[in-house]
Amino acid sequence: MRELVQQTEHVVIKIGSAVFLRDQLHVDRPAFASLVEGIDDLIRRGWSVTLVSSGAVAMGRQWLGEAAGPGREIPRLQAYAALGQSRLMEMYETEFSHYGRKVAQILFSRGDLSERPRYLNARQTLATLEELGAVAVINENDTVATEELRFGDNDQLAAMTAGLVGAETLILLSDVAGLKEVEFGPAGERRLGATVESIEVDDPRIDQWAGPSATGVGTGGMISKVRAARIAARSGATTVIAPGKERRVLQRIADGEAVGTIFDPGNSPTVAGRKIWLGSSALATGKITCDQGARRAIRRQGASLLPSGITAVDGDFEEGAVVELCDEKGQIFARGLTVYGAQDLRAIAGHQSQKIESILGFKVLDAAVHRDNLIIL
Ligand code: GLU
């Protein structure tokens, strides 16, 4: 696995606020400088690097100082982000200028990546920046994000970015050193063991071992990193979770040293183009419940979903919408583009495909969700 990471061509590096903060408020400038030195080193090795950086909120709060006050309500945090985002960029600009590099700011809202045309546009812009030799620094557009429509945190945003730019590797740098094995004592208490060197993303032990954020500086925690690693795996990317404050951490990862935990995408099928978007960034507007036979055919044989396998349709969506497919227990197992709108699907659910035309008066395809527009999660 380490060798595979060494062969990276494009990497997305997520930098958590805790990596360059001394405490909750103050920037550890030497730590930040050495991080940028590491990034420059990777670029000189021939890697393409896209950054996802947190820190806007923290920088805004720091800049305000006393005036910031103790509040943590959302409008206040969004205002801090507005104040701090340019501070954050200024810091990147200054440090990268020592290496003759320019940085470009990109702020994404969840909707920018969930809508296919905007997603493609963003991809084009990132590719052009790459051609121009600029380093893209991405953050969530915090000032306009709403609770319902957030990435969750920058770990998820970074994972979606990995799919967007076609990165083979995602490095999540934070105060989390990696995934640790956990033993449970007689009273259920957690005892931390060794750091896991490498593990497949769908290994069930991960869910037992991962715990929430310890420091409370960022929003992440291990669970969020695991979720991100699983999203990244859907586009075939390997994720490295590593301690961002450790000296030369990026160089050591690139040298193949055992640092942090590697999440191997395992046997996730290799997907391309639209399917990467469907698997990681698209947002579903409806849900289709499938019977066991349909689920098995989709999962095992890569079949399309036929109307005969549908037992329920939730939501009000049009043809072409992104829908989730779930089994009868409500477990989501795939996502795809629906051929028919919700109302039509309800009418043809449970029927053979030969009946579609007589029921609806028209037929587009035999399938309700075609295999070419479907991704198994
Ligand atoms: N976008 C937030 C910031 O820049 C951070 C979100 C996160 O840490 O996940 O302050």
Side-chain angles (χ1 to χ4, degrees), residues 14 17 53-58 85 139-140 142 153-155 218-219:
K14 185 259 172 168
S17 336
S53 180
S54 305
V57 172
Q85 180 61 29
N139 197 359
E140 179 161 7
D142 288 312
D153 55 55
N154 275 357
D155 296 325
T219 50

Side-chain angles (χ1 to χ4, degrees), residues 48 114 199 268 374:
S48 297
S114 68
I199 193 161
S268 320
L374 191 158

Side-chain angles (χ1 to χ4, degrees), residues 105-126 138-146 148-151 157 160-161 164 277-278 280-283:
Q105 165 185 281
I106 297 192
L107 299 178
F108 280 136
S109 298
R110 184 69 185 85
D112 297 333
L113 298 189
S114 68
E115 283 174 29
R116 183 89 178 137
R118 284 151 85 186
Y119 177 91
L120 292 176
N121 219 21
R123 188 168 74 180
Q124 189 57 50
T125 305
L126 281 160
I138 300 172
N139 197 359
E140 179 161 7
N141 195 354
D142 288 312
T143 43
V144 298
T146 57
E148 309 78 61
L149 215 60
R150 289 193 75 90
F151 285 97
L157 169 56
M160 292 178 202
T161 302
L164 179 69
W277 168 74
L278 262 177
S280 47
S281 298
L283 272 176

